[in-house]
């Protein structure tokens, strides 16, 4: 036996590979059945980010209160109205940017959503298909741009969870093999991005990035279009090791394959000596030439005529293989389980998604370490306080770099994806 790579890249020409799940390999990921909240949609309770500063007094009071509370001591009372931004082992926050003019005129074009747990059927569904019944977590971040960018990102964040749920339900109903499940899930993520692109209120001008993480059973699916980023992190408290095992790329027009596609569509890529490359297109409102700083996005229909596409790059990671790799020599058995002793398995896995308002100035390794401590260490602050710290750190970096003249919107979302099994679940 040998250790397998934790990353499986899904492309049209890729060879599909997977391993069946066993109860031992998924015990740490399969929690007891959740009682659904009747106030929420059938697919779960979507959590949206609060603004860390520009908000009503009750939110500001809640932020102050939770700063003084360790994660393990936090309850619904101490969290208060921030519960609207908190799911199970998951939080999301944002900060409106400053683009010039009056503060009251600023518009936050970032959006984020977390649905944990995430369902693809109604509670009364009678489906016995194992592919349908897998436990799921969904998280996404969307960075709007252009005059109607906030409308596009809001539409994407709101409509993606139910749209993806419906597509997964229909596609997985007749799947039986792990290979089919993985292939269909990746296809449905791509179809969801493409359908959102067709339906968003992007006329005449507006678009957004989309970076989405879906944990389904023992697999982590990451779909990305644009220059927001998602990364998957493995953390071991015994060694304090915090490793980024996967990170999405920024879909920039100067990348050779992206540039080739744009130029094949009749578009032009502007590559400056300093700064970011852009796809040149004609603004449909001003009719002036302008540039889009990414080669994939949702919306941006005018740039779409020049080769900008909504199709995400989808990657799949295998949780048991990540665990085995992190445990330095432990192996994945043929049935997908990790051969280890329960006292040795302390591998936690979590996901982070953030817009470029944060990623342009903060190091992903520093972000991962701060959030790992807050999520999994008993002495850690609440994850929402950790995210608040990161948002303000990014804002301070913008202040120093731009002397207060400009600050991009800043958003982050984080969710735990795997906790080590307890002795009872081994």
């Amino acid at each position: 036996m040998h250790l397998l790579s934790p990353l499986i890249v899904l492309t049209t020409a890729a060879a599909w590979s997977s391993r069946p799940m066993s109860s031992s390999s998924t015990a740490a990921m399969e929690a007891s059945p959740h009682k659904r909240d009747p106030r929420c949609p059938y697919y779960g309770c979507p959590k949206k980010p609060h603004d860390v500063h520009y908000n009503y007094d009750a939110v500001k009071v809640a932020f102050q209160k939770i700063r003084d509370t360790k994660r393990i001591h936090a309850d619904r009372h101490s969290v208060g109205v921030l519960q609207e931004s908190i799911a199970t082992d998951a939080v999301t926050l944002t900060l409106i940017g400053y683009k010039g003019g009056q503060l009251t005129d600023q518009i936050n074009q970032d959006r984020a959503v977390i649905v944990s747990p995430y369902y693809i059927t109604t509670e009364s569904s009678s489906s016995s298909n194992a592919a349908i019944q897998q436990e799921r977590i969904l998280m996404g971040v969307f960075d709007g741009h252009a005059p109607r960018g906030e409308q596009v990102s809001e539409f994407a964040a709101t409509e993606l969870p139910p749209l993806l749920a419906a597509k997964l339900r229909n596609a997985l109903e007749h799947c039986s093999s792990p290979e089919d499940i993985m292939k269909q899930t990746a296809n449905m993520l791509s179809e969801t991005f493409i359908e959102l692109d067709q339906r968003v209120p992007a006329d005449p001008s507006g678009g957004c990035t989309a970076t989405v993480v879906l944990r389904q059973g023992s697999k982590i699916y990451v779909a990305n279009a644009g220059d927001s980023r998602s990364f998957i992190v493995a953390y071991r408290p015994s060694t304090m090791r915090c490793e980024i095992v996967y990170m999405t790329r920024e879909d920039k027009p100067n990348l050779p394959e992206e540039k080739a596609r744009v130029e094949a569509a009749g578009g032009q890529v502007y590559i400056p000596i300093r700064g970011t490359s852009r796809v040149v297109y004609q603004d449909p409102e001003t009719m002036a030439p302008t540039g889009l700083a990414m080669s994939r996005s949702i919306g941006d229909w005018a740039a779409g005529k020049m080769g900008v596409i909504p199709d995400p790059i989808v990657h799949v990671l295998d949780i048991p293989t990540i665990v085995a790799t992190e445990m330095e020599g432990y192996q994945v058995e043929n049935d997908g389980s990790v051969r280890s002793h329960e006292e040795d398995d302390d591998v936690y896995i979590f996901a982070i998604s953030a817009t470029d308002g944060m990623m342009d100035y903060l190091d992903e390794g520093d972000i991962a370490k701060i959030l790992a401590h807050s999520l999994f260490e008993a002495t850690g602050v609440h994850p929402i306080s950790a995210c608040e710290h990161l948002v303000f750190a990014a804002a301070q970096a913008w202040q120093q770099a731009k002397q207060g003249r400009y600050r991009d919107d800043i958003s982050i979302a984080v969710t735990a994806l795997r906790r080590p099994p307890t002795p009872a679940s081994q």
Side-chain angles (χ1 to χ4, degrees):
M1 293 179 293
H2 61 280
L3 291 178
L4 303 177
S5 168
L7 177 64
I8 306 169
V9 182
L10 298 187
T11 64
T12 304
W16 304 98
S17 62
S18 182
R19 293 180 303 279
M21 298 188 305
S22 69
S23 59
S24 60
S25 68
T26 60
M29 296 164 284
E30 302 299 330
S32 59
H34 298 274
K35 182 176 177 58
R36 301 198 192 187
D37 189 332
R39 299 168 296 178
C40 296
Y42 79 89
Y43 59 83
C45 299
K47 301 294 184 175
K48 302 291 185 69
H50 273 295
D51 191 288
V52 299
H53 182 71
Y54 298 98
N55 223 311
Y56 53 95
D57 290 343
V59 175
K60 295 179 180 179
V61 170
F63 272 121
Q64 179 60 52
K65 189 172 185 179
I66 200 67
R67 289 188 200 112
D68 302 324
T69 305
K70 298 299 182 184
R71 175 185 55 80
I72 60 172
H73 298 140
D75 55 21
R76 184 173 293 273
H77 177 71
S78 58
V79 169
V81 296
L82 295 178
Q83 192 65 39
E84 298 166 1
S85 297
I86 300 173
T88 305
D89 282 341
V91 302
T92 178
L93 284 180
T94 190
L95 174 65
I96 192 172
Y98 177 73
K99 290 95 175 179
Q102 298 295 317
L103 289 176
T104 54
D105 294 334
Q106 306 305 306
I107 297 174
N108 191 339
Q109 295 189 306
D110 281 1
R111 297 294 187 271
V113 64
I114 300 173
V115 189
S116 179
Y118 176 56
Y119 306 102
I120 65 173
T121 62
T122 62
E123 192 168 15
S124 60
S125 172
S126 58
S127 175
S128 59
N129 188 316
I132 296 290
Q133 296 303 323
Q134 294 179 96
E135 287 205 349
R136 296 173 177 85
I137 296 169
L138 179 70
M139 179 174 75
V141 165
F142 311 85
D143 182 353
H145 48 256
R148 287 162 184 79
E150 71 279 5
Q151 298 175 30
V152 175
S153 59
E154 176 68 24
F155 185 93
T158 301
E159 295 300 321
L160 184 142
L163 180 59
L164 178 61
K167 289 182 179 294
L168 287 174
R169 181 172 63 250
N170 294 333
L172 299 183
E173 184 63 49
H174 304 293
C175 287
S176 56
S177 71
E179 292 83 2
D180 286 344
I181 293 170
M182 188 170 65
K183 182 176 181 178
Q184 287 299 322
T185 300
N187 287 342
M188 292 309 102
L189 278 163
S190 293
E191 285 192 12
T192 298
F193 275 52
I194 293 168
E195 184 169 335
L196 285 174
D197 175 72
Q198 296 167 350
R199 293 174 49 194
V200 293
D203 186 24
S205 177
C208 74
T209 69
T211 187
V212 173
V213 177
L214 170 68
R215 199 217 79 191
Q216 180 174 259
S218 67
K219 295 290 189 287
I220 303 168
Y221 299 79
V222 187
N224 188 79
D227 59 2
S228 296
R229 310 294 294 273
S230 287
F231 42 113
I232 308 302
V233 187
Y235 174 65
R236 296 193 69 186
S238 61
T239 61
M240 301 298 288
R241 179 179 178 180
C242 191
E243 181 182 8
I244 297 173
V245 298
Y246 170 73
M247 189 168 190
T248 59
R249 76 174 191 182
E250 291 183 293
D251 294 323
K252 290 298 186 181
N254 64 304
L255 295 174
E257 67 274 21
E258 302 296 284
K259 184 173 182 287
R261 187 189 63 250
V262 169
E263 292 177 343
Q268 175 187 351
V269 174
Y270 171 66
I271 304 177
I273 297 176
R274 298 180 62 183
T276 186
S277 58
R278 297 179 181 272
V279 176
V280 179
Y281 69 99
Q282 187 177 59
D283 186 281
E285 291 190 285
T286 66
M287 304 308 293
T290 188
L292 181 65
M294 63 198 72
S295 53
R296 298 175 188 242
S297 69
I298 292 175
D300 295 309
W301 294 337
K305 299 175 182 178
M306 300 290 104
V308 175
I309 61 175
D311 307 51
I313 294 176
V314 180
H315 288 111
V316 182
L317 292 87
D318 179 69
I319 290 175
T321 304
I322 296 174
V323 174
T325 303
E326 292 301 311
M327 293 176 69
E328 299 175 352
Y330 287 89
Q331 297 171 315
V332 178
E333 303 287 356
N334 291 332
D335 66 355
S337 63
V338 179
R339 191 175 70 185
S340 66
H341 301 291
E342 61 185 57
E343 62 270 19
D344 295 332
D345 185 354
D346 67 339
V347 179
Y348 295 80
I349 300 174
F350 63 105
I352 303 166
S353 298
T355 59
D356 60 351
M358 176 168 289
M359 301 309 301
D360 280 355
Y361 286 99
L362 298 189
D363 176 76
E364 58 268 18
D366 293 338
I367 295 172
K369 291 175 183 176
I370 289 171
L371 290 175
H373 191 263
S374 71
L375 282 168
F376 307 123
E377 295 290 348
T379 58
V381 298
H382 194 280
I384 206 160
S385 294
C387 285
E388 180 191 31
H389 167 77
L390 290 167
V391 168
F392 279 131
Q396 181 62 31
W398 278 98
Q399 173 70 25
Q400 293 175 351
K402 304 296 183 181
Q403 288 78 52
R405 296 188 299 271
Y406 181 87
R407 183 184 71 242
D408 200 0
D409 304 321
I410 302 168
S411 294
I412 185 172
V414 58
T415 182
L417 299 176
R418 193 256 188 192
R419 288 178 174 272
T422 59
S425 65
Q426 285 284 340

